Amino acid sequence: MAKTSVPQIKMPLTGNDAGAYAMKQVNPDVVAAYPITPQTELMQEFAQYVHDGDVDTAFITVESEHSAMSACIGAAAAGARTMTATSANGFALMWEVLYIAASLRLPITMAVVNRALSGPINIHCDHSDSMGARDAGWIQMYAENPQEAYDLWLIGIKAAENHDVLLPAMIMYDGFIISHTMEVVETLPDDAVKDYVGPYKPAYAMLLDEKPFTVGPLDFHDYYFEHKRQEIEGMERAPAALAAAAAEYEKLSGRHYGPVETYRADDADVIMVALGSTAGTARYVVDVLRDQGKSVGLMKLRTFRPFPHGEVTDALGKTKCVVVCDRVASFGAFGSPTFMELRSALYEVAERPLVINYIYGLGGRDTGPDLLEQAFEEGLRVARTGEIEQHVSYLGVR
Amino acid sequence: MTTLKELSRREERFTGGHRLCSGCGAAIVARQVLLAADGPVVIGNATGCLEVGTTIYPYTSWKVPWIHNAFENVAATISGVETAYRVFKEQGKLDKDFHFIAFGGDGGTYDIGLQALSGVLERGHKMLYVCYDNQAYMNTGIQRSGATPKGASTTTAPHGKLIPGKIRRRKDLTAIVAAHHIPYAAQAAPHAFMDLVRKVEKALAADGPSFINILAPCHRGWRHGPEETLEVSRIATNTCFWPLYEIVDDRWKLTYKPRNKLPAEEWMKFQGRFAHLFDGDGHPELVAEIQADVDREWEDLLIRCGELPPRECGDEEEKK
């Protein structure tokens, strides 16, 4: 355990507990949210903090997720530190305003408790909700466990509010698998969190500054493009802001958070890529296969937006085969989102690895070590023969 | 109560030079509301004519803080601003008092924004929602809305060989709002500007959410002359098509009672959107239906306002 500048307080927390606890410690000005499984618990816990007087937050119990994000936008444009959380269909209902939050450069932060999008209706985990909004202009980070759910939300706030960035951030964690699973989480003392996130300082005069300030005007062909370019450039500055926020956080917590994280991957012939809780299962399978003398490793992709193409090529550029696991389908595309992004990032690597894609775990389909082992074995075959039989296939479907 | 003289000395915070049509009812409404709202104010604007016509980047007509988010969510957006304000006050970060006003057209209020409006009324945010009701989706080109009156021809419910315009009645939005039991709700019209100003002042003084539904004639959609905006507004109240009243703590009160209630025809004949009801053979049966609707609604309003005794159960049957 690395030396930390503040004591770590161990607490048994589910992902939702960890999210609610992070919110409590941040003590935001405004939270607007609407209940949806599996996020509900988080908001219930936070409501209890509000009603017990543990936070100073004004909690707006809106009548829909569309209004949740709309109210967050209003509050953030008034200069308030603003947070929310949702899942699946609620997230989809926010879609329109997600883009508006980003384009108004409002650093709202949101937990997305990943759940399969309807239809058919389902309440369990996959990444179809957040993956669909990968081009909405939000920073997106996937947590592997309750610990990361807690840590990444704090880091996300700091990076989002960085004046070089000013973009909203969403922190994903897998519905039920993480949201409802209790683990020991190391938390920071209240004061340390308060000092770390600091008081929120908007970059510009906001609505309550009484100056004539027009937010969200009609922007035609003569200016829209330039404003979009500025937004894109804000996202291009996000990696540095995330790295700085993570470095400062590491001093407090001893926990290091980069955009990718590798495990026994340096000399591996096959590297699996996974997001969220599946990375934990994959790490276990790597150990099992390594014990059998097989040359396998893992790259966990933590930050999806901005996509860390440099780190991805560094981590994967020397291997023979990359096995990309996507808990989402992209209908009609050549592979799923992580596969597409990652394969594109590897294009200019001189001796680039072969890349195969597995769609897995849709609608919460359990994905155990046996399935990941099956995917690794196919990766090993591809690495050995240099031939891909099928670029995109499934794991664990009838 | 502010006098006209005092109003005339106030700073114009909704400035000219915007790109709304000359004779636009919405522009008159916005100006009157803002004149009445003395002191610091934050305005929210739903997508619609008023928004696109006044804030074409890099220009703005608003000399006050102003936010546009999307079409259906101005109520929720301003509720977020108002909540931030309340928190900052509690935290001691802000000492000035602000008013919060949301503007939405009838499309953004009766239809797509109804849910968000209902939410803020139920939650009790201290803000005024102003619906500038021009009775159709005018910004996109005169499509029928939940506020379009029966018989009117619009681009999505046009007068045709088979169907003579819109055949359904309007929603009674003000009554829907009143069912939320908020401290203040009213109907107003721009020709009765002192009444409108007084209602805005009362609404802003209310301890909780308030709502004013303001008729905003649109000569492009209604088909009358741009110089006739206030005249058509006046006729709407004198025919009792658009009664002026207020609801204070659930008590309904008329604020204008025409000396002679004019036939609804006079209001309809003033506007090209109803012309097909009178041209050639016309649609006398529809005109009669519309008159019966107006009469019934007016009578209901008089009863609610205590100007007529309540109807006994069975009254309708006896009449037949």
Side-chain angles (χ1 to χ4, degrees):
Chain A
M1 189 70 228
K3 200 172 173 320
T4 62
S5 59
V6 295
Q8 306 295 300
I9 304 155
K10 289 188 178 180
M11 298 170 73
L13 300 175
T14 65
N16 279 340
D17 295 340
Y21 192 68
M23 291 174 80
K24 172 181 178 258
Q25 291 187 304
V26 170
N27 193 13
D29 298 311
V30 176
V31 167
Y34 189 80
I36 183 167
T37 303
Q39 159 267 31
T40 317
E41 225 183 7
L42 182 158
M43 278 305 146
Q44 286 174 187
E45 288 177 37
F46 188 73
Q48 196 66 50
Y49 290 138
V50 173
H51 282 224
D52 287 343
D54 293 333
V55 289
D56 309 312
T57 309
F59 181 34
I60 316 180
T61 48
V62 282
E63 82 302 326
S64 72
E65 287 87 354
H66 194 283
S67 284
M69 186 48 63
S70 300
C72 283
I73 288 170
R81 178 176 275 147
T82 306
M83 301 169 87
T84 185
T86 191
S87 298
N89 296 39
F91 183 81
L93 190 57
M94 285 184 181
W95 219 275
E96 177 194 29
V97 265
L98 290 178
Y99 282 75
I100 295 171
S103 76
L104 292 177
R105 311 298 295 275
L106 300 172
I108 298 159
T109 58
M110 167 163 71
V112 181
V113 187
N114 284 121
R115 162 181 155 180
L117 272 182
S118 297
I121 189 167
N122 177 293
I123 58 167
H124 292 283
C125 174
D126 70 33
H127 297 160
S128 52
D129 47 7
S130 53
M131 276 295 173
R134 62 191 185 273
D135 292 334
W138 285 60
I139 292 168
Q140 292 189 315
M141 291 190 282
Y142 286 82
E144 182 189 327
N145 47 40
Q147 181 71 61
E148 288 197 8
Y150 173 84
D151 293 334
L152 294 182
W153 206 346
L154 300 179
I155 292 169
I157 290 169
K158 206 164 173 71
E161 291 176 1
N162 185 313
H163 288 189
D164 290 338
V165 179
L166 291 177
L167 286 170
M170 55 179 89
I171 310 306
M172 271 63 73
Y173 54 91
D174 289 347
F176 292 107
I177 303 165
I178 302 304
S179 66
H180 288 61
T181 302
M182 191 168 284
E183 293 183 6
V184 174
V185 173
E186 291 190 353
T187 64
L188 303 182
D190 289 352
D191 286 352
V193 172
K194 201 176 158 195
D195 291 346
Y196 175 72
V197 296
Y200 173 46
K201 292 193 196 88
Y204 310 103
M206 293 308 222
L207 289 171
L208 294 170
D209 289 343
E210 213 193 321
K211 291 170 190 157
F213 179 49
T214 291
V215 180
L218 180 63
D219 206 16
F220 276 140
H221 39 68
D222 48 354
Y223 286 99
Y224 179 93
F225 203 171
E226 281 72 24
H227 288 137
K228 279 310 195 196
R229 179 180 174 163
Q230 289 178 335
E231 192 182 338
I232 293 164
E233 289 174 352
M235 186 62 93
E236 284 169 357
R237 291 189 289 269
L242 283 164
E248 198 181 322
Y249 195 78
E250 189 173 355
K251 282 186 203 149
L252 295 173
S253 66
R255 294 183 288 280
H256 173 75
Y257 288 111
V260 303
E261 189 180 295
T262 54
Y263 182 69
R264 303 182 82 167
D266 286 350
D267 61 340
D269 288 341
V270 175
I271 300 176
M272 178 172 282
V273 175
L275 289 69
S277 63
T278 304
T281 315
R283 205 177 286 109
Y284 166 79
V285 176
V286 165
D287 285 342
V288 169
L289 296 179
R290 281 280 183 176
D291 285 350
Q292 296 170 15
K294 290 169 180 163
S295 179
V296 296
L298 167 72
M299 187 195 87
K300 177 169 80 173
L301 184 63
R302 185 177 283 124
T303 307
F304 194 86
R305 282 288 181 267
F307 193 81
H309 50 88
E311 286 82 352
V312 163
T313 50
D314 287 350
L316 304 175
K318 295 190 195 82
T319 193
K320 290 179 181 164
C321 177
V322 180
V323 179
V324 183
C325 296
D326 265 306
R327 201 161 196 154
V328 57
S330 184
F331 300 93
F334 184 54
S336 282
T338 314
F339 173 78
M340 291 190 275
E341 299 269 349
L342 182 146
R343 205 160 168 269
S344 168
L346 289 169
Y347 185 74
E348 280 163 3
V349 172
E351 289 182 46
R352 56 180 177 258
L354 295 167
V355 188
I356 58 173
N357 189 200
Y358 280 102
I359 297 169
Y360 79 98
L362 300 190
R365 175 65 50 86
D366 193 31
T367 306
D370 52 329
L371 288 175
L372 297 187
E373 199 174 323
Q374 186 188 315
F376 268 123
E377 289 297 347
E378 176 60 12
L380 286 164
R381 192 198 63 74
V382 170
R384 198 167 54 243
T385 62
E387 281 173 21
I388 293 174
E389 276 180 13
Q390 201 169 352
H391 282 90
V392 186
S393 42
Y394 304 102
L395 275 184
V397 68
R398 290 188 294 272
Chain B
M1 210 177 89
T2 315
T3 63
L4 183 59
K5 199 168 178 185
E6 285 164 345
L7 286 174
S8 69
R9 288 185 188 139
R10 281 193 185 157
E11 186 197 4
E12 291 278 3
R13 297 190 292 177
F14 177 71
T15 64
H18 54 70
R19 308 195 199 175
L20 291 160
C21 306
S22 42
C24 169
I28 301 169
V29 165
R31 182 173 171 231
Q32 290 181 2
V33 169
L34 212 50
L35 267 182
D38 206 19
V41 62
V42 181
I43 301 290
N45 214 152
T47 307
C49 284
L50 184 61
E51 170 258 331
V52 302
T54 61
T55 62
I56 302 178
Y57 188 87
Y59 303 104
T60 182
S61 297
W62 301 86
K63 292 171 79 176
V64 291
W66 179 98
I67 182 168
H68 161 250
N69 186 347
F71 194 6
E72 68 280 57
N73 62 358
V74 64
T77 305
I78 280 289
S79 84
V81 181
E82 183 263 356
T83 302
Y85 161 78
R86 212 155 22 82
V87 168
F88 291 157
K89 278 245 161 169
E90 278 164 19
Q91 294 171 347
K93 286 183 186 165
L94 196 70
D95 50 9
K96 280 220 166 66
D97 292 330
F98 275 78
H99 291 308
F100 300 91
I101 304 176
F103 282 105
D106 50 289
T109 309
Y110 283 69
D111 291 350
I112 200 168
L114 184 60
Q115 176 183 313
L117 170 63
S118 176
V120 304
L121 300 178
E122 185 270 332
R123 294 197 300 273
H125 296 275
K126 193 173 170 342
M127 54 179 270
L128 164 62
Y129 192 107
V130 172
C131 174
Y132 66 97
D133 182 354
N134 53 30
Q135 305 191 330
Y137 292 87
M138 299 310 186
N139 189 41
T140 41
I142 323 167
Q143 289 81 32
R144 64 87 91 190
S145 77
T148 303
K150 186 192 279 188
S153 181
T154 56
T155 54
T156 50
H159 163 50
K161 290 186 188 104
L162 185 65
I163 304 171
K166 188 181 171 190
I167 52 166
R168 302 285 307 166
R169 285 166 71 175
R170 307 162 48 242
K171 295 181 195 178
D172 187 350
L173 179 66
T174 313
I176 294 170
V177 166
H180 291 75
H181 307 295
I182 58 171
Y184 190 84
Q187 273 197 185
H191 74 277
F193 52 87
M194 285 313 290
D195 176 71
L196 190 155
V197 163
R198 194 181 52 81
K199 284 171 177 166
V200 172
E201 287 177 341
K202 278 188 171 181
L204 291 174
D207 187 22
S210 54
F211 173 87
I212 309 180
N213 201 359
I214 307 181
L215 190 72
C218 165
H219 61 79
R220 300 308 306 135
W222 295 14
R223 300 286 162 190
H224 56 76
E227 71 287 1
E228 292 171 328
T229 300
L230 296 186
E231 187 54 24
V232 76
S233 167
R234 189 187 321 276
I235 301 173
T237 56
N238 284 335
T239 52
C240 299
F241 178 86
W242 188 264
L244 304 182
Y245 59 93
E246 61 187 4
I247 307 154
V248 184
D249 295 326
D250 290 333
R251 297 281 180 275
W252 294 57
K253 192 185 154 218
L254 275 188
T255 55
Y256 174 70
K257 198 171 179 181
R259 203 168 299 144
N260 301 305
K261 177 166 167 276
L262 301 174
E265 265 189 50
E266 295 214 14
W267 191 65
M268 290 189 279
K269 282 182 172 166
F270 203 86
Q271 307 166 59
R273 62 176 170 159
F274 296 109
H276 58 284
L277 301 184
F278 305 100
D279 290 346
D281 291 342
H283 290 276
E285 74 299 340
L286 202 51
V287 173
E289 257 180 47
I290 293 165
Q291 183 65 60
D293 292 346
V294 169
D295 291 346
R296 170 70 193 225
E297 284 170 26
W298 176 244
E299 197 178 290
D300 283 348
L301 183 63
L302 291 176
I303 293 167
R304 275 170 163 161
C305 294
E307 306 255 342
L308 282 178
R311 269 189 216 103
E312 301 276 333
C313 284
D315 274 5
E316 296 298 307
E317 300 306 312
E318 282 165 32
K319 273 185 193 168
K320 285 174 189 169

